[in-house]
Every structure is written in C-alpha cells, then in structure tokens.
Short mmCIF file of all heavy atoms in Angstrom, two decimals:
data_model
loop_
_atom_site.label_atom_id
_atom_site.label_comp_id
_atom_site.label_asym_id
_atom_site.label_seq_id
_atom_site.Cartn_x
_atom_site.Cartn_y
_atom_site.Cartn_z
N MET A 75 0.81 -1.19 0.00
CA MET A 75 0.00 0.00 0.00
C MET A 75 0.87 1.26 0.00
O MET A 75 0.48 2.27 -0.56
CB MET A 75 -0.89 -0.05 1.24
CG MET A 75 -2.11 0.79 1.11
SD MET A 75 -3.09 0.17 -0.24
CE MET A 75 -4.49 1.16 -0.07
N ARG A 76 2.02 1.19 0.59
CA ARG A 76 2.90 2.35 0.67
C ARG A 76 3.35 2.81 -0.71
O ARG A 76 3.49 3.98 -0.98
CB ARG A 76 4.11 2.00 1.54
CG ARG A 76 5.11 3.09 1.67
CD ARG A 76 4.77 4.01 2.81
NE ARG A 76 5.83 4.96 2.95
CZ ARG A 76 5.62 6.26 3.06
NH1 ARG A 76 4.40 6.73 3.08
NH2 ARG A 76 6.61 7.09 3.16
N ARG A 77 3.59 1.86 -1.62
CA ARG A 77 4.06 2.21 -2.96
C ARG A 77 3.05 3.08 -3.70
O ARG A 77 3.43 3.98 -4.42
CB ARG A 77 4.33 0.96 -3.78
CG ARG A 77 5.57 0.24 -3.37
CD ARG A 77 5.83 -0.90 -4.35
NE ARG A 77 6.95 -1.70 -3.95
CZ ARG A 77 8.20 -1.43 -4.29
NH1 ARG A 77 8.46 -0.40 -5.04
NH2 ARG A 77 9.18 -2.20 -3.90
N ILE A 78 1.78 2.84 -3.51
CA ILE A 78 0.77 3.61 -4.21
C ILE A 78 0.80 5.07 -3.75
O ILE A 78 0.78 5.97 -4.56
CB ILE A 78 -0.63 2.99 -4.02
CG1 ILE A 78 -0.67 1.64 -4.74
CG2 ILE A 78 -1.71 3.91 -4.56
CD1 ILE A 78 -1.90 0.83 -4.47
N SER A 79 0.89 5.29 -2.46
CA SER A 79 0.93 6.66 -1.98
C SER A 79 2.23 7.36 -2.42
O SER A 79 2.22 8.54 -2.74
CB SER A 79 0.78 6.71 -0.47
OG SER A 79 1.82 6.02 0.16
N ASP A 80 3.34 6.61 -2.44
CA ASP A 80 4.60 7.18 -2.94
C ASP A 80 4.47 7.54 -4.41
O ASP A 80 4.91 8.61 -4.84
CB ASP A 80 5.76 6.20 -2.76
CG ASP A 80 6.21 6.06 -1.32
OD1 ASP A 80 5.77 6.89 -0.49
OD2 ASP A 80 6.97 5.13 -1.03
N LYS A 81 3.85 6.66 -5.19
CA LYS A 81 3.67 6.90 -6.61
C LYS A 81 2.83 8.15 -6.82
O LYS A 81 3.17 8.99 -7.64
CB LYS A 81 3.02 5.69 -7.26
CG LYS A 81 2.79 5.84 -8.73
CD LYS A 81 2.11 4.63 -9.31
CE LYS A 81 1.68 4.93 -10.72
NZ LYS A 81 0.73 3.95 -11.21
N ALA A 82 1.76 8.27 -6.09
CA ALA A 82 0.88 9.44 -6.22
C ALA A 82 1.65 10.73 -5.85
O ALA A 82 1.47 11.76 -6.49
CB ALA A 82 -0.35 9.28 -5.33
N TYR A 83 2.48 10.63 -4.83
CA TYR A 83 3.27 11.80 -4.41
C TYR A 83 4.17 12.26 -5.55
O TYR A 83 4.21 13.46 -5.88
CB TYR A 83 4.10 11.44 -3.18
CG TYR A 83 5.15 12.47 -2.84
CD1 TYR A 83 4.80 13.64 -2.17
CD2 TYR A 83 6.48 12.29 -3.21
CE1 TYR A 83 5.76 14.60 -1.87
CE2 TYR A 83 7.43 13.25 -2.91
CZ TYR A 83 7.07 14.38 -2.24
OH TYR A 83 8.01 15.33 -1.96
N TYR A 84 4.91 11.33 -6.16
CA TYR A 84 5.83 11.72 -7.22
C TYR A 84 5.11 12.18 -8.47
O TYR A 84 5.56 13.09 -9.17
CB TYR A 84 6.79 10.57 -7.55
CG TYR A 84 7.82 10.38 -6.46
CD1 TYR A 84 7.81 9.26 -5.64
CD2 TYR A 84 8.80 11.33 -6.25
CE1 TYR A 84 8.75 9.11 -4.63
CE2 TYR A 84 9.75 11.20 -5.25
CZ TYR A 84 9.70 10.07 -4.44
OH TYR A 84 10.64 9.93 -3.44
N GLU A 85 3.96 11.60 -8.77
CA GLU A 85 3.17 12.07 -9.92
C GLU A 85 2.68 13.50 -9.67
O GLU A 85 2.70 14.32 -10.56
CB GLU A 85 1.99 11.14 -10.16
CG GLU A 85 2.37 9.81 -10.76
CD GLU A 85 1.21 8.86 -10.85
OE1 GLU A 85 0.22 9.01 -10.10
OE2 GLU A 85 1.29 7.93 -11.67
N ARG A 86 2.23 13.75 -8.45
CA ARG A 86 1.76 15.09 -8.10
C ARG A 86 2.90 16.11 -8.19
O ARG A 86 2.72 17.22 -8.69
CB ARG A 86 1.14 15.05 -6.70
CG ARG A 86 0.43 16.30 -6.30
CD ARG A 86 -0.37 16.16 -5.01
NE ARG A 86 0.37 15.52 -3.93
CZ ARG A 86 0.13 14.29 -3.45
NH1 ARG A 86 -0.84 13.56 -3.95
NH2 ARG A 86 0.86 13.79 -2.47
N ARG A 87 4.07 15.72 -7.69
CA ARG A 87 5.23 16.63 -7.77
C ARG A 87 5.59 16.92 -9.22
O ARG A 87 5.92 18.06 -9.57
CB ARG A 87 6.43 16.01 -7.04
CG ARG A 87 6.29 15.91 -5.54
CD ARG A 87 6.20 17.25 -4.88
NE ARG A 87 7.30 18.08 -5.26
CZ ARG A 87 8.05 18.80 -4.46
NH1 ARG A 87 7.80 18.80 -3.19
NH2 ARG A 87 9.03 19.54 -4.93
N ALA A 88 5.54 15.92 -10.07
CA ALA A 88 5.86 16.12 -11.49
C ALA A 88 4.86 17.09 -12.12
O ALA A 88 5.27 18.00 -12.86
CB ALA A 88 5.84 14.78 -12.22
N ARG A 89 3.58 16.90 -11.84
CA ARG A 89 2.57 17.82 -12.40
C ARG A 89 2.80 19.24 -11.91
O ARG A 89 2.65 20.20 -12.67
CB ARG A 89 1.16 17.35 -12.02
CG ARG A 89 0.67 16.18 -12.85
CD ARG A 89 -0.82 15.94 -12.66
NE ARG A 89 -1.20 15.80 -11.27
CZ ARG A 89 -1.26 14.63 -10.60
NH1 ARG A 89 -0.92 13.52 -11.21
NH2 ARG A 89 -1.64 14.60 -9.34
N THR A 90 3.17 19.38 -10.64
CA THR A 90 3.43 20.71 -10.09
C THR A 90 4.61 21.37 -10.80
O THR A 90 4.55 22.56 -11.14
CB THR A 90 3.72 20.60 -8.58
OG1 THR A 90 2.60 20.02 -7.93
CG2 THR A 90 4.00 21.97 -7.98
N GLU A 91 5.67 20.62 -11.03
CA GLU A 91 6.84 21.17 -11.71
C GLU A 91 6.52 21.56 -13.15
O GLU A 91 6.99 22.58 -13.65
CB GLU A 91 8.02 20.19 -11.68
CG GLU A 91 8.60 19.99 -10.29
CD GLU A 91 9.14 21.25 -9.65
OE1 GLU A 91 9.60 22.16 -10.36
OE2 GLU A 91 9.12 21.32 -8.41
N ILE A 92 5.70 20.76 -13.82
CA ILE A 92 5.30 21.09 -15.20
C ILE A 92 4.47 22.36 -15.19
O ILE A 92 4.65 23.24 -16.06
CB ILE A 92 4.53 19.91 -15.83
CG1 ILE A 92 5.50 18.75 -16.08
CG2 ILE A 92 3.86 20.34 -17.13
CD1 ILE A 92 4.82 17.46 -16.44
N ARG A 93 3.59 22.49 -14.22
CA ARG A 93 2.77 23.71 -14.10
C ARG A 93 3.66 24.93 -13.87
O ARG A 93 3.47 25.99 -14.47
CB ARG A 93 1.78 23.54 -12.94
CG ARG A 93 0.65 24.52 -12.97
CD ARG A 93 -0.42 24.21 -11.93
NE ARG A 93 -0.87 22.84 -11.99
CZ ARG A 93 -0.80 21.96 -10.98
NH1 ARG A 93 -0.33 22.33 -9.81
NH2 ARG A 93 -1.23 20.72 -11.13
N LYS A 94 4.67 24.79 -13.01
CA LYS A 94 5.58 25.90 -12.75
C LYS A 94 6.36 26.27 -14.03
O LYS A 94 6.57 27.45 -14.30
CB LYS A 94 6.59 25.52 -11.65
CG LYS A 94 6.00 25.47 -10.27
CD LYS A 94 7.07 25.03 -9.28
CE LYS A 94 6.54 24.85 -7.89
NZ LYS A 94 7.59 24.37 -6.96
N ALA A 95 6.77 25.25 -14.78
CA ALA A 95 7.49 25.52 -16.02
C ALA A 95 6.62 26.29 -17.01
O ALA A 95 7.12 27.19 -17.71
CB ALA A 95 7.97 24.21 -16.64
N ASN A 96 5.35 25.94 -17.04
CA ASN A 96 4.45 26.64 -17.96
C ASN A 96 4.16 28.07 -17.54
O ASN A 96 3.80 28.90 -18.37
CB ASN A 96 3.13 25.86 -18.10
CG ASN A 96 3.31 24.59 -18.90
OD1 ASN A 96 4.18 24.51 -19.75
ND2 ASN A 96 2.49 23.61 -18.62
N MET A 97 4.32 28.38 -16.26
CA MET A 97 3.99 29.71 -15.76
C MET A 97 5.18 30.66 -15.79
O MET A 97 5.00 31.87 -15.62
CB MET A 97 3.43 29.64 -14.35
CG MET A 97 2.05 29.01 -14.30
SD MET A 97 1.24 29.16 -12.71
CE MET A 97 2.42 28.47 -11.59
N THR A 98 6.40 30.17 -15.99
CA THR A 98 7.56 31.04 -15.95
C THR A 98 7.97 31.45 -17.35
O THR A 98 7.73 30.74 -18.32
CB THR A 98 8.74 30.35 -15.22
OG1 THR A 98 9.77 31.30 -15.05
CG2 THR A 98 9.27 29.16 -15.98
N SER A 99 8.58 32.60 -17.43
CA SER A 99 9.07 33.08 -18.74
C SER A 99 10.60 32.96 -18.83
O SER A 99 11.16 33.16 -19.90
CB SER A 99 8.64 34.53 -18.95
OG SER A 99 9.17 35.34 -17.93
N ASP A 100 11.23 32.63 -17.71
CA ASP A 100 12.69 32.49 -17.68
C ASP A 100 13.09 31.13 -18.25
O ASP A 100 12.70 30.10 -17.71
CB ASP A 100 13.18 32.63 -16.24
CG ASP A 100 14.69 32.51 -16.11
OD1 ASP A 100 15.38 32.65 -17.15
OD2 ASP A 100 15.17 32.29 -14.99
N PRO A 101 13.86 31.10 -19.36
CA PRO A 101 14.21 29.83 -19.99
C PRO A 101 15.01 28.90 -19.06
O PRO A 101 14.81 27.68 -19.08
CB PRO A 101 15.05 30.23 -21.20
CG PRO A 101 14.77 31.65 -21.43
CD PRO A 101 14.35 32.25 -20.13
N SER A 102 15.89 29.46 -18.24
CA SER A 102 16.68 28.63 -17.34
C SER A 102 15.79 27.98 -16.28
O SER A 102 15.93 26.78 -15.99
CB SER A 102 17.75 29.45 -16.65
OG SER A 102 18.67 29.95 -17.59
N ALA A 103 14.90 28.74 -15.72
CA ALA A 103 13.97 28.20 -14.71
C ALA A 103 13.06 27.15 -15.33
O ALA A 103 12.77 26.12 -14.70
CB ALA A 103 13.15 29.33 -14.10
N LYS A 104 12.63 27.41 -16.57
CA LYS A 104 11.78 26.44 -17.26
C LYS A 104 12.49 25.11 -17.42
O LYS A 104 11.92 24.03 -17.17
CB LYS A 104 11.36 27.00 -18.62
CG LYS A 104 10.30 26.17 -19.34
CD LYS A 104 9.90 26.81 -20.64
CE LYS A 104 9.17 28.08 -20.44
NZ LYS A 104 7.72 27.98 -20.43
N ARG A 105 13.77 25.15 -17.82
CA ARG A 105 14.55 23.91 -17.97
C ARG A 105 14.69 23.18 -16.66
O ARG A 105 14.60 21.95 -16.61
CB ARG A 105 15.93 24.23 -18.56
CG ARG A 105 15.94 24.42 -20.05
CD ARG A 105 17.35 24.40 -20.60
NE ARG A 105 18.22 25.41 -20.01
CZ ARG A 105 18.34 26.67 -20.44
NH1 ARG A 105 17.61 27.05 -21.47
NH2 ARG A 105 19.15 27.50 -19.87
N VAL A 106 14.92 23.93 -15.59
CA VAL A 106 15.08 23.31 -14.27
C VAL A 106 13.79 22.61 -13.86
O VAL A 106 13.80 21.45 -13.42
CB VAL A 106 15.50 24.35 -13.21
CG1 VAL A 106 15.39 23.78 -11.81
CG2 VAL A 106 16.91 24.83 -13.49
N HIS A 107 12.65 23.29 -14.02
CA HIS A 107 11.37 22.70 -13.63
C HIS A 107 11.07 21.45 -14.47
O HIS A 107 10.59 20.44 -13.95
CB HIS A 107 10.23 23.71 -13.78
CG HIS A 107 10.26 24.78 -12.74
ND1 HIS A 107 10.18 24.52 -11.41
CD2 HIS A 107 10.37 26.12 -12.85
CE1 HIS A 107 10.21 25.65 -10.72
NE2 HIS A 107 10.35 26.64 -11.60
N LEU A 108 11.37 21.52 -15.77
CA LEU A 108 11.11 20.36 -16.62
C LEU A 108 12.05 19.20 -16.29
O LEU A 108 11.66 18.04 -16.35
CB LEU A 108 11.21 20.76 -18.09
CG LEU A 108 10.09 21.68 -18.58
CD1 LEU A 108 10.34 22.10 -20.02
CD2 LEU A 108 8.73 21.03 -18.42
N ALA A 109 13.28 19.51 -15.92
CA ALA A 109 14.22 18.46 -15.53
C ALA A 109 13.76 17.79 -14.24
O ALA A 109 13.83 16.56 -14.10
CB ALA A 109 15.62 19.04 -15.36
N LEU A 110 13.28 18.59 -13.29
CA LEU A 110 12.77 18.02 -12.04
C LEU A 110 11.55 17.14 -12.32
O LEU A 110 11.43 16.04 -11.76
CB LEU A 110 12.39 19.14 -11.06
CG LEU A 110 13.55 19.85 -10.39
CD1 LEU A 110 13.04 21.07 -9.64
CD2 LEU A 110 14.29 18.92 -9.46
N ALA A 111 10.67 17.61 -13.19
CA ALA A 111 9.48 16.81 -13.54
C ALA A 111 9.91 15.49 -14.19
O ALA A 111 9.35 14.44 -13.88
CB ALA A 111 8.58 17.60 -14.48
N ALA A 112 10.89 15.54 -15.07
CA ALA A 112 11.37 14.32 -15.72
C ALA A 112 11.94 13.35 -14.70
O ALA A 112 11.71 12.13 -14.78
CB ALA A 112 12.42 14.67 -16.78
N ASN A 113 12.67 13.87 -13.72
CA ASN A 113 13.23 12.99 -12.68
C ASN A 113 12.13 12.36 -11.84
O ASN A 113 12.20 11.18 -11.50
CB ASN A 113 14.18 13.77 -11.78
CG ASN A 113 15.50 14.05 -12.46
OD1 ASN A 113 15.87 13.36 -13.41
ND2 ASN A 113 16.21 15.05 -11.99
N TYR A 114 11.10 13.14 -11.50
CA TYR A 114 9.99 12.57 -10.74
C TYR A 114 9.28 11.49 -11.55
O TYR A 114 8.95 10.42 -11.01
CB TYR A 114 8.97 13.67 -10.36
CG TYR A 114 9.43 14.58 -9.25
CD1 TYR A 114 9.36 15.95 -9.37
CD2 TYR A 114 9.94 14.06 -8.06
CE1 TYR A 114 9.78 16.80 -8.36
CE2 TYR A 114 10.36 14.90 -7.04
CZ TYR A 114 10.27 16.26 -7.21
OH TYR A 114 10.68 17.08 -6.18
N LEU A 115 9.07 11.74 -12.84
CA LEU A 115 8.39 10.74 -13.67
C LEU A 115 9.26 9.49 -13.86
O LEU A 115 8.74 8.38 -13.93
CB LEU A 115 8.01 11.35 -15.02
CG LEU A 115 6.92 12.42 -14.94
CD1 LEU A 115 6.71 13.08 -16.29
CD2 LEU A 115 5.62 11.82 -14.42
N LYS A 116 10.56 9.69 -13.93
CA LYS A 116 11.48 8.55 -14.03
C LYS A 116 11.37 7.68 -12.77
O LYS A 116 11.38 6.46 -12.83
CB LYS A 116 12.91 9.03 -14.22
CG LYS A 116 13.88 7.91 -14.52
CD LYS A 116 15.35 8.30 -14.54
CE LYS A 116 15.65 9.67 -15.04
NZ LYS A 116 17.09 10.00 -15.00
N HIS A 117 11.25 8.35 -11.65
CA HIS A 117 11.11 7.64 -10.38
C HIS A 117 9.80 6.85 -10.35
O HIS A 117 9.76 5.71 -9.88
CB HIS A 117 11.17 8.63 -9.21
CG HIS A 117 11.40 8.01 -7.89
ND1 HIS A 117 12.63 7.48 -7.53
CD2 HIS A 117 10.58 7.81 -6.86
CE1 HIS A 117 12.52 6.98 -6.31
NE2 HIS A 117 11.29 7.17 -5.88
N VAL A 118 8.74 7.44 -10.87
CA VAL A 118 7.44 6.74 -10.94
C VAL A 118 7.56 5.50 -11.81
O VAL A 118 7.09 4.41 -11.44
CB VAL A 118 6.33 7.69 -11.47
CG1 VAL A 118 5.07 6.91 -11.81
CG2 VAL A 118 6.04 8.77 -10.47
N ARG A 119 8.19 5.64 -12.97
CA ARG A 119 8.35 4.49 -13.86
C ARG A 119 9.18 3.39 -13.22
O ARG A 119 8.89 2.21 -13.36
CB ARG A 119 8.99 4.93 -15.18
CG ARG A 119 8.03 5.65 -16.10
CD ARG A 119 8.58 5.81 -17.49
NE ARG A 119 9.83 6.56 -17.51
CZ ARG A 119 9.92 7.89 -17.63
NH1 ARG A 119 8.83 8.59 -17.75
NH2 ARG A 119 11.09 8.47 -17.64
N SER A 120 10.19 3.79 -12.46
CA SER A 120 11.02 2.82 -11.75
C SER A 120 10.20 2.07 -10.70
O SER A 120 10.32 0.86 -10.55
CB SER A 120 12.19 3.53 -11.09
OG SER A 120 12.90 2.67 -10.25
N MET A 121 9.34 2.80 -10.00
CA MET A 121 8.49 2.16 -8.99
C MET A 121 7.51 1.21 -9.66
O MET A 121 7.24 0.12 -9.12
CB MET A 121 7.73 3.24 -8.19
CG MET A 121 8.64 4.08 -7.33
SD MET A 121 7.78 5.46 -6.59
CE MET A 121 6.85 4.61 -5.35
N GLU A 122 6.97 1.59 -10.81
CA GLU A 122 6.05 0.71 -11.52
C GLU A 122 6.77 -0.55 -11.99
O GLU A 122 6.21 -1.65 -11.90
CB GLU A 122 5.44 1.43 -12.72
CG GLU A 122 4.46 2.51 -12.35
CD GLU A 122 3.99 3.33 -13.51
OE1 GLU A 122 4.64 3.28 -14.59
OE2 GLU A 122 2.98 4.03 -13.36
N ALA A 123 7.99 -0.41 -12.47
CA ALA A 123 8.76 -1.57 -12.92
C ALA A 123 9.05 -2.50 -11.74
O ALA A 123 8.97 -3.73 -11.88
CB ALA A 123 10.06 -1.13 -13.58
N ASP A 124 9.39 -1.93 -10.59
CA ASP A 124 9.63 -2.75 -9.39
C ASP A 124 8.38 -3.49 -8.98
O ASP A 124 8.44 -4.66 -8.62
CB ASP A 124 10.12 -1.88 -8.23
CG ASP A 124 11.52 -1.34 -8.43
OD1 ASP A 124 12.23 -1.87 -9.34
OD2 ASP A 124 11.90 -0.40 -7.72
N ALA A 125 7.23 -2.82 -9.06
CA ALA A 125 5.97 -3.45 -8.69
C ALA A 125 5.65 -4.59 -9.65
O ALA A 125 5.20 -5.67 -9.24
CB ALA A 125 4.86 -2.43 -8.66
N ASP A 126 5.88 -4.38 -10.96
CA ASP A 126 5.65 -5.43 -11.94
C ASP A 126 6.56 -6.62 -11.70
O ASP A 126 6.15 -7.77 -11.79
CB ASP A 126 5.86 -4.90 -13.37
CG ASP A 126 4.74 -3.98 -13.81
OD1 ASP A 126 3.66 -4.00 -13.19
OD2 ASP A 126 4.96 -3.25 -14.80
N GLN A 127 7.81 -6.33 -11.38
CA GLN A 127 8.77 -7.40 -11.10
C GLN A 127 8.35 -8.20 -9.88
O GLN A 127 8.43 -9.43 -9.86
CB GLN A 127 10.16 -6.81 -10.91
CG GLN A 127 11.27 -7.82 -10.93
CD GLN A 127 12.62 -7.14 -10.88
OE1 GLN A 127 12.77 -6.11 -10.21
NE2 GLN A 127 13.58 -7.70 -11.57
N ASP A 128 7.88 -7.52 -8.85
CA ASP A 128 7.42 -8.19 -7.64
C ASP A 128 6.22 -9.09 -7.95
O ASP A 128 6.13 -10.22 -7.46
CB ASP A 128 7.03 -7.19 -6.56
CG ASP A 128 8.23 -6.47 -5.97
OD1 ASP A 128 9.38 -6.96 -6.19
OD2 ASP A 128 8.04 -5.44 -5.29
N ARG A 129 5.29 -8.60 -8.78
CA ARG A 129 4.13 -9.39 -9.16
C ARG A 129 4.55 -10.62 -9.95
O ARG A 129 4.01 -11.71 -9.74
CB ARG A 129 3.14 -8.55 -9.99
CG ARG A 129 2.11 -7.89 -9.12
CD ARG A 129 1.04 -7.23 -9.97
NE ARG A 129 1.19 -5.79 -9.71
CZ ARG A 129 1.46 -4.88 -10.61
NH1 ARG A 129 1.57 -5.21 -11.87
NH2 ARG A 129 1.61 -3.63 -10.27
N ASN A 130 5.52 -10.46 -10.85
CA ASN A 130 5.99 -11.59 -11.64
C ASN A 130 6.65 -12.64 -10.77
O ASN A 130 6.52 -13.84 -10.99
CB ASN A 130 6.95 -11.13 -12.73
CG ASN A 130 6.25 -10.36 -13.83
OD1 ASN A 130 5.05 -10.48 -13.99
ND2 ASN A 130 6.99 -9.55 -14.54
N LEU A 131 7.38 -12.20 -9.75
CA LEU A 131 8.01 -13.16 -8.83
C LEU A 131 6.98 -13.91 -8.01
O LEU A 131 7.15 -15.09 -7.72
CB LEU A 131 9.00 -12.44 -7.90
CG LEU A 131 10.26 -11.90 -8.56
CD1 LEU A 131 11.07 -11.10 -7.55
CD2 LEU A 131 11.09 -13.04 -9.14
N GLU A 132 5.88 -13.23 -7.65
CA GLU A 132 4.84 -13.89 -6.88
C GLU A 132 4.12 -14.94 -7.72
O GLU A 132 3.71 -15.98 -7.22
CB GLU A 132 3.82 -12.87 -6.37
CG GLU A 132 4.35 -11.97 -5.28
CD GLU A 132 3.39 -10.87 -4.91
OE1 GLU A 132 2.27 -10.82 -5.49
OE2 GLU A 132 3.74 -10.05 -4.05
N LEU A 133 4.00 -14.68 -9.03
CA LEU A 133 3.30 -15.63 -9.90
C LEU A 133 4.16 -16.84 -10.23
O LEU A 133 3.64 -17.91 -10.52
CB LEU A 133 2.89 -14.93 -11.20
CG LEU A 133 1.82 -13.83 -11.05
CD1 LEU A 133 1.58 -13.15 -12.40
CD2 LEU A 133 0.52 -14.43 -10.52
N ALA A 134 5.47 -16.68 -10.18
CA ALA A 134 6.37 -17.78 -10.57
C ALA A 134 6.46 -18.85 -9.51
O ALA A 134 6.04 -18.85 -8.45
CB ALA A 134 7.77 -17.22 -10.81
#
C-alpha cells in the first residue's frame, strides 16, 4: 500500500513542476522545472517496474 501513496506523491510533484514551467518566462527556470518533472516521472516508472517485477516473482 505504501508504494501507491509514494507513486501518487511523485506524480503530483511532477505535475506541479510542469505547471511551474508553464507559468515562468525564464528559460533557465523552465529547464530546471522540466528536468525536475522528468526525474519525478522517471522515479514513478522505476516504482512501476519494481511493482511489476514483484508481481511476476509472486506468480512464478
């Protein structure tokens, strides 16, 4: 159950960073916000892959 709340947290953080990037006019700040969002989304994908791997191990 903890993984789901962690996943939601990182998805929410990514959306927030994307929103910040869309609201700023500074190109450097925009890149930083988009890089942070990408890192959060990468973390979400990693968590999903770990969950899939755990499910596959349980089925085997």
Side-chain angles (χ1 to χ4, degrees):
M75 202 62 174
R76 178 88 175 131
R77 286 186 185 272
I78 293 172
S79 61
D80 287 348
K81 180 181 170 195
Y83 169 79
Y84 287 111
E85 287 174 337
R86 189 170 48 250
R87 292 295 306 227
R89 284 193 305 270
T90 301
E91 292 300 330
I92 291 169
R93 197 172 309 122
K94 287 178 185 177
N96 288 332
M97 291 190 306
T98 188
S99 60
D100 181 17
S102 296
K104 188 178 292 266
R105 279 194 303 273
V106 169
H107 288 300
L108 291 176
L110 286 171
N113 285 338
Y114 286 131
L115 292 174
K116 188 188 326 179
H117 196 71
V118 169
R119 285 192 300 270
S120 172
M121 293 172 74
E122 289 173 344
D124 290 345
D126 287 343
Q127 192 174 36
D128 290 344
R129 267 188 247 120
N130 289 339
L131 290 175
E132 289 174 2
L133 294 175

